[in-house]
Amino acid sequence: MSDTALDITAWTCPAPLRDHPRVVMGHGGGGALSAELVQHLFAPAFGGAALAQLGDSAAVSLGGVRLAFSTDSYVVRPLFFPGGTIGDLAVNGTVNDLAMSGARAAYLSCGFILEEGVEMSAVARVAEAMGAAARAAGVEVVTGDTKVVEVGHGDGVYINTAGIGIIPDGVDLRPQRVVPGDVVIVSGEIGLHGVAIMSVREGLEFGVDIESDCAALGGLVQSMLAVTPDLHVLRDPTRGGLAASLNEIAAASGTGVVINESRVPVPPAVANACSILGLDPLYVANEGKLVAFVPRAHADAVLDAMRAHPLGRHATVIGEAVDAHPGMVVSRTALGGTRVVDLPLGEQLPRIC
């Protein structure tokens, strides 16, 4: 053993990281463990003002042009599920991350990590789904990479995609712009993707077919921005669900958030599945929904524009930003009480994207 004493005073990691000498599944769940891993391990290692934004994509300037740049990796199991495939997710997920900065996605890269022995027909099916999704979203896959790992060192197919897009002049979407009085709008019914994945992975039946909401949201965002570029922040509530997105925005903006639980659009099939399994729909992942914080003066017009778009026809006002309880999300229940909607520690269902 070295004679040099271990100096723990220089540690920047909070207790949850110190309590986990090894990575646990919760570190990839989009909740508190994920946030601590990024904020206290990766961010100090990489540094940089652009990274400090910690948004769905980074807004950067290059040659006088404002760009959004994002990357994401997809490890969903199973590869094929009701309403989509890992290929659809890989395209739509990155397109949506760019859209949350207000950008028009333009180009994607694609990295395949294949496990030795996976059927070539499955890889072809995934690639074809990616191509179709890219064409539907109006983007082009322009570069990529392929790696193969030994049997037992992967799970068939993993995919990484990165994307770039141009942010229009006058658009500035970030949580720091949220102010008390902003109206909170969700674009449609929540929880479909997570429950769809769960149903096929676990062989569960809920008496009705549930399909993922996987979709590219770029067109919906452009419809909203056409009403006013003065939207304050957009997020797509994937890992950790709507609850995680609202908590991240509340924490970054220093405002409180109040939602009306009875106004959150939860489809009956999702509500029934969550009731049976003891899950909260607010924490279930989505892949084709967004949550918006909009100045009250523009809220009605933005809501009308969302409802006129196929991906926003069930858009609903669910709450507002407030002065009280800064950094905290509170829900008014159907019984007239209130409850704190906290940031999840990990994730109710891992490997959903």
Side-chain angles (χ1 to χ4, degrees), residues 4 33 100 107-108 116 150 161 183 244 249 287 301 340:
T4 303
L33 288 178
M100 297 307 105
Y107 300 109
L108 301 181
E116 182 183 18
E150 298 89 343
T161 48
V183 174
I249 293 169
E287 287 293 347
V340 174

PDB file of all heavy atoms in Angstrom, residues 4 33 100 107-108 116 150 161 183 244 249 287 301 340:
ATOM      1  N   THR A   4       1.245   7.367   0.573  1.00  0.00           N
ATOM      2  CA  THR A   4       0.557   8.622   0.317  1.00  0.00           C
ATOM      3  C   THR A   4      -0.885   8.531   0.799  1.00  0.00           C
ATOM      4  O   THR A   4      -1.617   7.610   0.427  1.00  0.00           O
ATOM      5  CB  THR A   4       0.550   8.954  -1.192  1.00  0.00           C
ATOM      6  OG1 THR A   4       1.902   8.996  -1.648  1.00  0.00           O
ATOM      7  CG2 THR A   4      -0.127  10.286  -1.441  1.00  0.00           C
ATOM      8  N   LEU A  33     -29.319  10.000 -10.410  1.00  0.00           N
ATOM      9  CA  LEU A  33     -28.012   9.379 -10.556  1.00  0.00           C
ATOM     10  C   LEU A  33     -27.340   9.789 -11.868  1.00  0.00           C
ATOM     11  O   LEU A  33     -26.129  10.040 -11.911  1.00  0.00           O
ATOM     12  CB  LEU A  33     -28.132   7.853 -10.475  1.00  0.00           C
ATOM     13  CG  LEU A  33     -28.441   7.269  -9.097  1.00  0.00           C
ATOM     14  CD1 LEU A  33     -28.574   5.752  -9.179  1.00  0.00           C
ATOM     15  CD2 LEU A  33     -27.362   7.650  -8.086  1.00  0.00           C
ATOM     16  N   MET A 100     -35.410  20.590 -29.895  1.00  0.00           N
ATOM     17  CA  MET A 100     -35.630  21.245 -28.613  1.00  0.00           C
ATOM     18  C   MET A 100     -34.801  22.516 -28.467  1.00  0.00           C
ATOM     19  O   MET A 100     -35.055  23.319 -27.563  1.00  0.00           O
ATOM     20  CB  MET A 100     -35.327  20.284 -27.457  1.00  0.00           C
ATOM     21  CG  MET A 100     -36.239  19.055 -27.408  1.00  0.00           C
ATOM     22  SD  MET A 100     -38.020  19.409 -27.415  1.00  0.00           S
ATOM     23  CE  MET A 100     -38.474  18.965 -29.100  1.00  0.00           C
ATOM     24  N   TYR A 107     -28.231  17.156 -40.854  1.00  0.00           N
ATOM     25  CA  TYR A 107     -27.374  16.009 -41.132  1.00  0.00           C
ATOM     26  C   TYR A 107     -27.165  15.170 -39.877  1.00  0.00           C
ATOM     27  O   TYR A 107     -27.063  15.694 -38.769  1.00  0.00           O
ATOM     28  CB  TYR A 107     -26.012  16.469 -41.663  1.00  0.00           C
ATOM     29  CG  TYR A 107     -26.105  17.259 -42.951  1.00  0.00           C
ATOM     30  CD1 TYR A 107     -25.855  18.624 -42.962  1.00  0.00           C
ATOM     31  CD2 TYR A 107     -26.456  16.629 -44.142  1.00  0.00           C
ATOM     32  CE1 TYR A 107     -25.933  19.346 -44.136  1.00  0.00           C
ATOM     33  CE2 TYR A 107     -26.555  17.351 -45.322  1.00  0.00           C
ATOM     34  CZ  TYR A 107     -26.295  18.704 -45.317  1.00  0.00           C
ATOM     35  OH  TYR A 107     -26.393  19.429 -46.479  1.00  0.00           O
ATOM     36  N   LEU A 108     -27.069  13.854 -40.087  1.00  0.00           N
ATOM     37  CA  LEU A 108     -26.813  12.911 -39.005  1.00  0.00           C
ATOM     38  C   LEU A 108     -25.612  12.046 -39.330  1.00  0.00           C
ATOM     39  O   LEU A 108     -25.328  11.766 -40.503  1.00  0.00           O
ATOM     40  CB  LEU A 108     -28.016  11.975 -38.785  1.00  0.00           C
ATOM     41  CG  LEU A 108     -29.376  12.562 -38.439  1.00  0.00           C
ATOM     42  CD1 LEU A 108     -30.389  11.428 -38.258  1.00  0.00           C
ATOM     43  CD2 LEU A 108     -29.308  13.411 -37.186  1.00  0.00           C
ATOM     44  N   GLU A 116     -21.273 -10.052 -32.733  1.00  0.00           N
ATOM     45  CA  GLU A 116     -21.014 -11.189 -33.602  1.00  0.00           C
ATOM     46  C   GLU A 116     -22.147 -12.207 -33.473  1.00  0.00           C
ATOM     47  O   GLU A 116     -22.557 -12.565 -32.362  1.00  0.00           O
ATOM     48  CB  GLU A 116     -19.685 -11.838 -33.219  1.00  0.00           C
ATOM     49  CG  GLU A 116     -19.268 -13.002 -34.089  1.00  0.00           C
ATOM     50  CD  GLU A 116     -17.981 -13.650 -33.623  1.00  0.00           C
ATOM     51  OE1 GLU A 116     -17.611 -13.425 -32.444  1.00  0.00           O
ATOM     52  OE2 GLU A 116     -17.356 -14.361 -34.411  1.00  0.00           O
ATOM     53  N   GLU A 150     -17.402  -9.301 -29.798  1.00  0.00           N
ATOM     54  CA  GLU A 150     -17.551 -10.741 -29.677  1.00  0.00           C
ATOM     55  C   GLU A 150     -18.913 -11.115 -29.101  1.00  0.00           C
ATOM     56  O   GLU A 150     -19.576 -10.318 -28.431  1.00  0.00           O
ATOM     57  CB  GLU A 150     -16.446 -11.317 -28.784  1.00  0.00           C
ATOM     58  CG  GLU A 150     -15.028 -11.109 -29.302  1.00  0.00           C
ATOM     59  CD  GLU A 150     -14.423  -9.804 -28.832  1.00  0.00           C
ATOM     60  OE1 GLU A 150     -15.196  -8.908 -28.387  1.00  0.00           O
ATOM     61  OE2 GLU A 150     -13.193  -9.654 -28.916  1.00  0.00           O
ATOM     62  N   THR A 161     -26.076   8.023 -32.846  1.00  0.00           N
ATOM     63  CA  THR A 161     -26.279   9.034 -33.877  1.00  0.00           C
ATOM     64  C   THR A 161     -25.908  10.397 -33.315  1.00  0.00           C
ATOM     65  O   THR A 161     -26.134  10.686 -32.141  1.00  0.00           O
ATOM     66  CB  THR A 161     -27.739   9.084 -34.374  1.00  0.00           C
ATOM     67  OG1 THR A 161     -28.626   9.119 -33.250  1.00  0.00           O
ATOM     68  CG2 THR A 161     -28.069   7.886 -35.243  1.00  0.00           C
ATOM     69  N   VAL A 183     -46.682  29.410 -19.057  1.00  0.00           N
ATOM     70  CA  VAL A 183     -47.645  28.321 -19.144  1.00  0.00           C
ATOM     71  C   VAL A 183     -46.932  27.047 -19.594  1.00  0.00           C
ATOM     72  O   VAL A 183     -46.091  27.078 -20.505  1.00  0.00           O
ATOM     73  CB  VAL A 183     -48.767  28.687 -20.141  1.00  0.00           C
ATOM     74  CG1 VAL A 183     -49.709  27.508 -20.366  1.00  0.00           C
ATOM     75  CG2 VAL A 183     -49.547  29.890 -19.627  1.00  0.00           C
ATOM     76  N   ALA A 244     -39.051  14.040 -14.909  1.00  0.00           N
ATOM     77  CA  ALA A 244     -37.633  14.398 -14.969  1.00  0.00           C
ATOM     78  C   ALA A 244     -37.444  15.710 -15.724  1.00  0.00           C
ATOM     79  O   ALA A 244     -36.674  16.575 -15.297  1.00  0.00           O
ATOM     80  CB  ALA A 244     -36.836  13.281 -15.626  1.00  0.00           C
ATOM     81  N   ILE A 249     -35.989  21.530 -15.623  1.00  0.00           N
ATOM     82  CA  ILE A 249     -36.288  22.919 -15.982  1.00  0.00           C
ATOM     83  C   ILE A 249     -36.462  23.774 -14.727  1.00  0.00           C
ATOM     84  O   ILE A 249     -35.963  24.901 -14.658  1.00  0.00           O
ATOM     85  CB  ILE A 249     -37.548  22.979 -16.872  1.00  0.00           C
ATOM     86  CG1 ILE A 249     -37.258  22.319 -18.228  1.00  0.00           C
ATOM     87  CG2 ILE A 249     -38.025  24.418 -17.057  1.00  0.00           C
ATOM     88  CD1 ILE A 249     -38.488  22.085 -19.077  1.00  0.00           C
ATOM     89  N   GLU A 287     -41.239   9.080 -26.589  1.00  0.00           N
ATOM     90  CA  GLU A 287     -40.302   9.307 -27.690  1.00  0.00           C
ATOM     91  C   GLU A 287     -40.909  10.147 -28.803  1.00  0.00           C
ATOM     92  O   GLU A 287     -40.318  10.250 -29.870  1.00  0.00           O
ATOM     93  CB  GLU A 287     -39.804   7.972 -28.256  1.00  0.00           C
ATOM     94  CG  GLU A 287     -38.817   7.246 -27.357  1.00  0.00           C
ATOM     95  CD  GLU A 287     -37.481   7.966 -27.215  1.00  0.00           C
ATOM     96  OE1 GLU A 287     -37.219   8.897 -28.003  1.00  0.00           O
ATOM     97  OE2 GLU A 287     -36.699   7.593 -26.321  1.00  0.00           O
ATOM     98  N   ALA A 301     -52.283  31.010 -28.651  1.00  0.00           N
ATOM     99  CA  ALA A 301     -51.947  30.892 -30.066  1.00  0.00           C
ATOM    100  C   ALA A 301     -51.018  29.704 -30.312  1.00  0.00           C
ATOM    101  O   ALA A 301     -51.169  28.976 -31.307  1.00  0.00           O
ATOM    102  CB  ALA A 301     -51.300  32.181 -30.562  1.00  0.00           C
ATOM    103  N   VAL A 340     -45.375  16.412  -4.006  1.00  0.00           N
ATOM    104  CA  VAL A 340     -44.128  16.772  -4.672  1.00  0.00           C
ATOM    105  C   VAL A 340     -43.830  15.738  -5.745  1.00  0.00           C
ATOM    106  O   VAL A 340     -43.878  14.531  -5.503  1.00  0.00           O
ATOM    107  CB  VAL A 340     -42.975  16.853  -3.659  1.00  0.00           C
ATOM    108  CG1 VAL A 340     -41.647  17.091  -4.384  1.00  0.00           C
ATOM    109  CG2 VAL A 340     -43.226  17.949  -2.644  1.00  0.00           C
TER     110      VAL A 340
END
